Amino acid sequence: METDVLIIGGGLGGVAAALTAAKLGHRVVLTEATSWLGGQLTSQLVPPDEHPWIEEYAAPGYAELRRRIRDYYRRNYPLRPQVKADPLLDPGLGVVSRFCHEPRVAVAVIDELLAPWRASGRISTYLEHEPIAADLDADTVEAVTVRDRRTGNELTITARYVVDATELGDLLELANVEHVVGAEGRDQTGEPHAPEVANPLDQQAFSWCFALEHRPGEDHTIDRPAGYEHWRDHVAPFWPGPQLSWTDVVPSTLEQREWRLFDANPAQRAPFSLWRYRQILASSNFIDKAIPDVTVVNWPQLDYWEQPLVGGADPTAALAASRELSLSFLYWMQTEGGYPGLRLRPDVTGTADGLAMAPYIREARRIQAEFTVLEQHVGVEARADGAGSEVFPDSVGLGRYRIDLHPSTAGRTYVDIAAYPFQIPLGALIPVRVDNLLPANKNIGTTHITNGCYRLHPVEWSIGEAVGALVSFCLTNSMPPRKVRNHATHLADYQRLLADTLHVPLAWPEQIRLTPG
């Protein structure tokens, strides 16, 4: 198969890149390893982590996605009248975001967004297809081979531009693109919170999430997982006790705290219930009370930190152990925790067992880029007092999140520090050597530290939107991406395409840029 743009990975970045390139006139093939598009928002079961200004300063495609999700609920669900009329409708009323919702609704809306482009043949999608090989000629990726996970059939696709939107940066390894794994050392980057020396095996924990409802008086206890005793009794040196408990730490201070499942515990630094943390359906929103509260379990109790996914001894074993940890925590909650009425919702996850289709990945391989974002560009402590984030002249989009690193596979606890609202620099999207491969997920030119604030839903979409516009600009003007960045006139023309044609915001208002958080 031959196409203008090949996008491997159907997460938010891959979908955004596909839609943008198609709107700008190019043929796109989009592949995804699971049966759902949407990545962390859908197959990984993670409600969106968003900044306080998302309603005013979202990338245009991301704003459209959010608007359509709200409209889907208004069209199809028995909402209470005042809830239906609320322009900021929040289906789940979760704490993590002002907009928590079911993953399958996001899947349906993504299908709506793609529908006209699929009908025209401008976008072709291949679900349950994973990359297995890449053909490289000098500094050009000529083709990628994907395998159908259901049949084993293989398909080789040639393209003028290839986008790696996979969750772990798979093409960077398959195509021998220069990349970084794990943590850079302070001796390399000068970042205050980096480890003293580099450690490729220092990677953030990943989590295998699941969805629950609670039916008091019923017993939905699952079978006891084979490794339950290990997870119940083992204590990591940096953790206050076994993971199978209500105990964890406050990420920013590392103070111990005690959660309750259905009640707040302010005296123990738990100002809301665990249940409400990532609740994606709130029964109070609906006229039909048969619709229950549903929550997503994505809590520190699920963080798997015993071995890394990239470069570790056995990634398959790590995935299996992560699933066992998740099921062990559910079993603990149902038995020792005292809640046998907790019931898995496999219909919400789109799987037979009730676990998410894929693990929640927080860190991937990252390109060696023309420009790498450091803690010194965005971190409050690393910047001069009150300076705000670095202003990048090659900005292609915006983001905001704390530098939030979960415990790592190197035995490090949380790194959670304030960051300023930031820009996404074009230089972080351009590999140092390869001409026609671009990243569109957590694989851009950040460090282990700054990945902690560039890895969230709105930022991933903005990266994908910028990459989709970049490949279109390069195809139209017959020039490689690095020439766009390194030539003032071309850069200005590309940024006009983003700002004037696509209406992408490229700079924060000064009062927001200077706001730590």
Side-chain angles (χ1 to χ4, degrees):
M1 180 179 294
E2 184 177 348
T3 188
D4 296 329
V5 184
L6 170 61
I7 301 170
I8 304 293
L12 292 177
V15 169
L19 286 169
T20 305
K23 289 174 183 176
L24 293 173
H26 302 286
R27 293 177 301 121
V28 178
V29 171
L30 173 64
T31 74
E32 163 56 28
T34 73
S35 57
W36 277 357
L37 296 172
Q40 60 180 320
L41 187 63
T42 59
S43 60
Q44 296 176 36
L45 205 63
V46 181
D49 286 295
E50 298 176 336
H51 57 71
W53 307 281
I54 194 68
E55 301 296 338
E56 297 82 20
Y57 291 98
Y62 189 74
E64 176 72 0
L65 174 71
R66 297 170 86 252
R67 182 187 67 77
R68 285 184 180 236
I69 290 172
R70 286 184 166 124
D71 285 348
Y72 189 98
Y73 278 94
R74 292 187 180 102
R75 293 197 313 270
N76 297 297
Y77 283 65
L79 295 165
R80 293 167 53 222
Q82 60 269 44
V83 174
K84 187 173 185 177
D86 186 352
L88 300 180
L89 166 64
D90 182 357
L93 301 178
V95 174
V96 74
S97 170
R98 291 175 293 176
F99 186 47
C100 292
H101 51 81
E102 299 161 280
R104 58 186 168 192
V105 173
V107 173
V109 168
I110 289 171
D111 282 343
E112 288 181 354
L113 290 169
L114 291 171
W117 307 108
R118 282 169 161 163
S120 70
R122 190 75 62 82
I123 295 178
S124 301
T125 55
Y126 290 81
L127 301 179
E128 297 194 54
H129 280 67
E130 59 187 356
I132 59 171
D135 297 328
L136 194 69
D137 181 11
D139 296 334
T140 301
V141 178
E142 294 199 327
V144 176
T145 300
V146 294
R147 177 187 293 139
D148 189 325
R149 300 175 68 179
R150 299 156 295 189
T151 66
N153 294 337
E154 296 179 4
L155 173 65
T156 297
I157 308 164
T158 61
R160 295 171 68 185
Y161 278 90
V162 176
V163 176
D164 184 348
T166 63
E167 297 299 327
L168 287 170
D170 295 336
L171 291 188
L172 305 185
E173 182 172 49
L174 291 174
N176 295 315
V177 177
E178 291 82 356
H179 63 275
V180 179
V181 176
E184 296 87 349
R186 196 179 314 131
D187 56 340
Q188 297 171 304
T189 66
E191 294 173 299
H193 289 87
E196 189 172 339
V197 296
N199 183 356
L201 300 183
D202 185 351
Q203 300 166 30
Q204 284 195 73
F206 64 95
S207 304
W208 215 304
C209 307
F210 52 90
L212 291 177
E213 65 173 302
H214 183 227
R215 295 188 173 187
E218 298 181 11
D219 188 347
H220 296 280
T221 304
I222 63 171
D223 293 338
R224 183 186 181 101
Y228 176 70
E229 286 79 6
H230 168 74
W231 303 112
R232 182 191 63 192
D233 301 335
H234 176 72
V235 179
F238 57 84
W239 206 245
Q243 280 183 269
L244 306 191
S245 72
W246 303 121
T247 304
D248 69 359
V249 299
V250 179
S252 58
T253 66
L254 304 183
E255 297 172 275
Q256 184 173 322
R257 63 182 170 186
E258 297 291 328
W259 292 98
R260 294 172 182 161
L261 185 57
F262 291 111
D263 298 295
N265 191 12
Q268 292 294 320
R269 292 170 287 279
F272 48 85
S273 70
L274 271 177
W275 187 270
R276 281 205 58 223
Y277 194 23
R278 286 183 166 88
Q279 185 174 275
I280 56 172
L281 269 183
S283 180
S284 61
N285 277 332
F286 304 101
I287 297 170
D288 183 355
K289 292 309 174 186
I291 297 177
D293 291 338
V294 176
T295 198
V296 166
V297 179
N298 174 18
W299 311 330
Q301 290 88 342
L302 304 192
D303 282 6
Y304 177 78
W305 53 57
E306 291 197 344
Q307 58 176 313
L309 273 182
V310 179
D314 189 348
T316 301
L319 291 169
S322 171
R323 293 174 64 87
E324 186 179 69
L325 169 60
S326 295
L327 291 171
S328 293
F329 182 54
L330 172 58
Y331 182 80
W332 180 89
M333 288 192 292
Q334 293 171 323
T335 56
E336 299 181 48
Y339 294 98
L342 294 176
R343 177 176 177 264
L344 285 168
R345 288 292 301 267
D347 58 312
V348 172
T349 60
T351 61
D353 60 11
L355 296 184
M357 286 183 184
Y360 174 33
I361 304 297
R362 296 183 177 90
E363 185 173 338
R365 301 173 183 91
R366 304 179 299 280
I367 62 167
Q368 289 186 17
E370 285 205 342
F371 180 85
T372 300
V373 181
L374 305 177
E375 183 183 349
Q376 295 91 314
H377 296 125
V378 298
V380 173
E381 292 180 36
R383 302 281 293 164
D385 288 346
S389 58
E390 184 83 9
V391 176
F392 297 127
D394 60 345
S395 172
V396 297
L398 304 178
R400 188 272 189 181
Y401 201 71
R402 290 178 65 84
I403 294 176
D404 171 21
L405 276 68
H406 280 235
S408 90
T409 52
R412 171 194 44 75
T413 188
Y414 279 103
V415 175
D416 186 281
I417 54 177
Y420 290 109
F422 51 80
Q423 296 171 306
I424 303 165
L426 177 58
L429 309 185
I430 300 176
V432 292
R433 176 181 58 86
V434 177
D435 288 327
N436 74 326
L437 182 142
L438 295 166
N441 202 305
K442 303 173 188 71
N443 52 350
I444 70 170
T446 57
T447 63
H448 173 73
I449 297 294
T450 55
N451 166 73
C453 61
Y454 275 78
R455 64 181 175 84
L456 283 306
H457 306 67
V459 182
E460 184 187 338
W461 185 283
S462 294
I463 291 166
E465 210 161 49
V467 165
L470 180 60
V471 295
S472 173
F473 186 88
C474 292
L475 286 167
T476 301
N477 294 284
S478 301
M479 67 178 68
R482 71 186 76 259
K483 187 174 181 180
V484 177
R485 177 177 183 252
N486 295 306
H487 189 288
T489 300
H490 299 325
L491 176 60
D493 290 342
Y494 166 59
Q495 288 177 316
R496 272 193 293 273
L497 172 66
L498 289 171
D500 297 345
T501 302
L502 299 175
H503 309 293
V504 174
L506 301 182
W508 288 108
E510 193 69 359
Q511 70 272 20
I512 294 179
R513 187 182 69 84
L514 299 174
T515 304

